[in-house]
Amino acid sequence: MHPMLNIAVRAARNAGQVIVKGFANPDNTETRAKGQNDFVTNVELDAENAVVNTLRKSYPEHTIIGEECGELTGSNPDYQWVVDALDGTANFIHGIPHFAVSIALRVKGRTEQAVVYDPIRDELFTASRGAGAQLNGYRIRTGKAKDLTTAVLATGFPAKQKHHVDAYLGMFKDLFVQSSDIRRAGAPSLDLAYVAAGRVDGYWELGLKPWDFAAGSLIAREAGSIVTDFVGGHNFEQSGNLVCANPKVLKIMLSTIREHLPESLSN
């Protein structure tokens, strides 16, 4: 395992311990609203601190970009850690055991290392650029579906961008009719990891933030998936509008999604 990936795994597991303890003691969880349909808990803040402290101990010169902490600059800006210490906060708050710690390392703007850790199931998804993707140390590959008739897709509802609901529901309806079924689990990093592991055959969501997909997208690509924006380009890192699947499923998903794209989502 790459030394920096090893540190990321350590950071994810340290955060996972905080999260599992908090999940087992919901009466001690304090929640506040950051915005509409956007919440943060004291557990997430403690988990993020665990990640930051672990990374800073080994790499004090690196920059860390976290969902809650913002940007913590270091003396070497070429190295940026992108962190979501609790992806799936709404699930956590409501006692739904489906959430993850997501950590990615970007070197000169390119994602090189990735960890998505599900502390409830103790499932560790990892990837290093060019070295494939693993689940608990075993190689994983994306599914081999050739069309949507037997495919199970994953998605996320635009809860923070409800002004796009009509376009989204058009996509959902057509993809639902064509596919075997659709899942909405509530943690983008795990959706991407599940595509990587062949558990679902494709995933799409709009309005994501970099910490939602930085790690999961590398894991998916290293497992053989393709990750694009809604028109098949590479602008998803800026727009947050993302589609992920194997090449054949992706082609069909993009064709369907394009039929419902307003100009504001055409990137």
Side-chain angles (χ1 to χ4, degrees), residues 2-3 5 13 19 27 36 54 65 76 80 91 99 124 136 139 150 159 183 196 199 202 212 218 234 247 261:
H2 190 283
L5 181 60
R13 289 194 182 279
I19 293 167
D27 291 342
Q36 184 179 15
T54 304
I65 300 172
N76 188 348
Q80 293 184 333
N91 284 348
F99 37 76
L124 182 75
N136 290 342
R139 184 72 180 267
T150 60
R183 301 285 183 264
R199 294 176 176 177
D212 292 323
L218 178 63
H234 302 289
L261 280 184

Side-chain angles (χ1 to χ4, degrees), residues 101-114:
V101 183
S102 176
I103 303 173
L105 174 64
R106 289 177 175 170
V107 181
K108 296 182 179 180
R110 190 170 75 170
T111 306
E112 297 286 346
Q113 311 294 336

Side-chain angles (χ1 to χ4, degrees), residues 13-262:
R13 289 194 182 279
N14 288 344
Q17 291 178 2
V18 173
I19 293 167
V20 169
K21 183 178 178 180
F23 192 69
N25 297 277
D27 291 342
N28 296 329
T29 299
E30 300 171 3
T31 304
R32 64 175 175 84
K34 297 188 294 180
Q36 184 179 15
N37 300 311
D38 194 8
F39 301 93
V40 64
T41 71
N42 59 320
V43 174
E44 183 168 5
L45 295 174
D46 290 344
E48 188 177 76
N49 285 335
V51 172
V52 170
N53 291 339
T54 304
L55 296 178
R56 275 282 160 90
K57 184 177 180 180
S58 294
Y59 304 109
E61 72 279 12
H62 291 185
T63 292
I64 299 173
I65 300 172
E67 180 178 10
E68 307 306 332
C69 69
E71 184 172 344
L72 305 175
T73 57
S75 60
N76 188 348
D78 287 344
Y79 289 80
Q80 293 184 333
W81 296 91
V82 184
V83 175
D84 190 346
L86 180 53
D87 179 30
T89 302
N91 284 348
F92 178 89
I93 292 170
H94 289 85
I96 301 170
H98 187 81
F99 37 76
V101 183
S102 176
I103 303 173
L105 174 64
R106 289 177 175 170
V107 181
K108 296 182 179 180
R110 190 170 75 170
T111 306
E112 297 286 346
Q113 311 294 336
V115 174
V116 173
Y117 178 53
D118 178 343
I120 295 297
R121 299 175 182 85
D122 193 27
E123 290 191 331
L124 182 75
F125 299 88
T126 58
S128 295
R129 178 176 292 276
Q134 295 80 35
L135 167 56
N136 290 342
Y138 292 92
R139 184 72 180 267
I140 52 175
R141 296 291 297 176
T142 195
K144 298 180 180 179
K146 297 180 180 179
D147 54 42
L148 293 186
T149 57
T150 60
V152 173
L153 305 180
T155 188
F157 301 142
K160 299 175 186 176
Q161 296 194 0
K162 292 187 176 179
H163 56 289
H164 288 312
V165 67
D166 289 338
Y168 173 79
L169 290 177
M171 301 172 193
F172 185 97
K173 179 182 177 181
D174 283 0
L175 287 169
F176 177 72
V177 169
Q178 294 180 67
S179 65
S180 175
D181 209 344
I182 295 178
R183 301 285 183 264
R184 199 292 191 201
S189 63
L190 284 175
D191 286 331
L192 288 162
Y194 279 22
V195 176
R199 294 176 176 177
V200 294
D201 298 292
Y203 162 68
W204 89 100
E205 189 163 350
L206 60 89
L208 295 171
K209 300 297 184 182
W211 44 79
D212 292 323
F213 59 75
S217 61
L218 178 63
I219 293 168
R221 289 196 300 268
E222 287 295 323
S225 298
I226 297 176
V227 183
T228 75
D229 57 29
F230 282 0
V231 295
H234 302 289
N235 195 48
F236 66 89
E237 292 191 358
Q238 286 70 46
S239 69
N241 304 327
L242 181 150
V243 188
C244 174
N246 73 38
K248 292 182 179 179
V249 171
L250 182 86
K251 182 178 179 180
I252 301 168
M253 291 181 69
L254 287 174
S255 176
T256 303
I257 288 170
R258 286 193 190 105
E259 296 177 5
H260 301 279
L261 280 184

